[in-house]
Amino acid sequence: MGPSPDDGDRLRALVAEIRAVTADVARLQATLIRRRAEVMQIALAEVARAGSRASREREMPIRSAALEIAVATKSHDLTVQRELDNAYTLTEKFSSTVDALESGRITLRHVQAVLETGVVIDDDETRRGWEEVVLSRAERDSPARVRAFARELAESVQPEGMTTRHAGAARARGVSVRDLADGMAELSVILPATVAYGIRDRLRRQAAVIRASSRAVAGDGGTDELATGGPSHASSDGDPDSATGRLPGDTATAADRATASRADTPRASPDERTLAQIGADLCADLLLTAAPTIDPTTEATCPGGLGAIRAQIQITVPVLTLLGHTDAGAAVAGRSPIDPESARHLAAHAPGWDRVLCDPVTGTVLEVDRYSPSAAQRRYLAARDQHCRAPGCRAPLTRCQLDHNHEAQHGGATTLTNLCHLCVRHHTLKTETAWSVTQESDGTLHFRSPLGQRVTETPPPRIMFLPDSDGAGEGHTTGTSTPPDAAPF
């Protein structure tokens, strides 16, 4: 059944309106790209005038311009700097693509596909020919299909061999974390494809052995095809794509350890986790506990070797959550909430923790008591700031430095009202450019940009939770701005 005649007319009108609005948005997006490119041109001109100074010093005009826009648009300046760089690249190397966006023939997602796949082509004439062919496809196909087509076409016209290009791409490898909801986070690792797929395959094989071992101990008559060498089902959505029997000794031992370590699971009960969940748990266990095979350190530089290095995170937990009376309020380094059970476990095994006294109305930190005054200052500022205090930035304290708002070499005192946490990027920007910071007695910061913009950054409040006053059961909590003591450790 189709829509009624009236609904059909309305749908046709809506589709036409959406098409028109999409074209209008595309024109505005093209204008935004051109304006960002102009900003980048101004910054690059200032960089050129800097001459042969240190590279970090020469980058300051770009960073400063990015922060100016970030303040004006309520954005993070790193994001803005990437947008400036992409806009400049688009206008300089893919001007026809920007024209197509401006005329409404393609969308911003098509533009991103062109930029992502075409930026690797260095020769100008080859890139223009490639762009012309890709745009003709983009005007009649979806961004995902255009991206796949453009990537294959770029590969075919590359004058440089894959070996050389792969070596350059491998320099971009790294690790990042993205916060998710409900106390979760996504760990991303950029690696050569062979290593990445090898890691995934090994985790899947180990997960399959754990699953098979659990079922065998529980007396389950079923078998896991992966563990017994039966047929495998290849897919891209999480099904294992390879199979063997029992793995070599190291893998089997790791599987046995992982199975035996679950003291809260009866030995006769099968492991109820999915293969994907077992693989994720294995990945975490290996990364957190195993020592690197290659360890060039010595006792002088790293006592115990790299295997002795353990992860360090700062956790903030309200006292009532710590005691089990509430079920909320715990967080990692002021960035992401975590479940109270994990917070209590970490508190029980922490070598030490600070008592943070908070204002009962505003939630701001009043005092932190522990050890010597200089150490107490650092703890107080860590508890107050929670992350980088630059406009829009949430870099964790592990990547921050304590900045004298009024520079020490100019007479600034090392006091709580003259210190704040800034990440290395923003500390450098504040020190080497005309950005300035002043601080009020309550920790409020006033940033002033070289263009005269003024931004006020108040200390991040502590959101605390108390039990319902009617004596509801455990787990029932009420959000409140009246905080008990909190304990980051």
Side-chain angles (χ1 to χ4, degrees), residues 53-64:
R53 288 189 291 178
S55 58
R56 188 183 70 175
E57 202 173 335
R58 286 189 287 111
E59 190 189 351
M60 289 303 112
I62 300 174
R63 292 189 184 185
S64 184

Side-chain angles (χ1 to χ4, degrees), residues 193-313:
T194 53
V195 176
Y197 279 101
I199 290 172
R200 187 182 70 171
D201 181 69
R202 185 172 188 238
L203 289 173
R204 285 176 169 177
R205 290 169 182 256
Q206 290 178 327
V209 170
I210 291 177
R211 168 77 68 82
S213 300
S214 173
R215 290 180 176 179
V217 170
D220 191 339
T223 59
D224 192 309
E225 288 182 338
L226 279 176
T228 58
S232 62
H233 304 277
S235 73
S236 60
D237 60 358
D239 289 337
D241 56 4
S242 59
T244 61
R246 174 166 286 276
L247 299 177
D250 62 331
T251 305
T253 301
D256 294 339
R257 284 198 306 268
T259 302
S261 66
R262 297 193 162 269
D264 57 337
T265 303
R267 187 168 180 80
S269 300
D271 195 326
E272 299 296 336
R273 294 174 295 169
T274 65
L275 287 176
Q277 291 168 345
I278 296 174
D281 293 343
L282 278 168
C283 182
D285 289 343
L286 291 171
L287 290 176
L288 289 173
T289 65
T293 302
I294 301 176
D295 186 352
T297 64
T298 63
E299 289 295 320
T301 59
C302 180
L306 295 182
I309 296 177
R310 293 293 180 261
Q312 294 184 6
I313 55 175

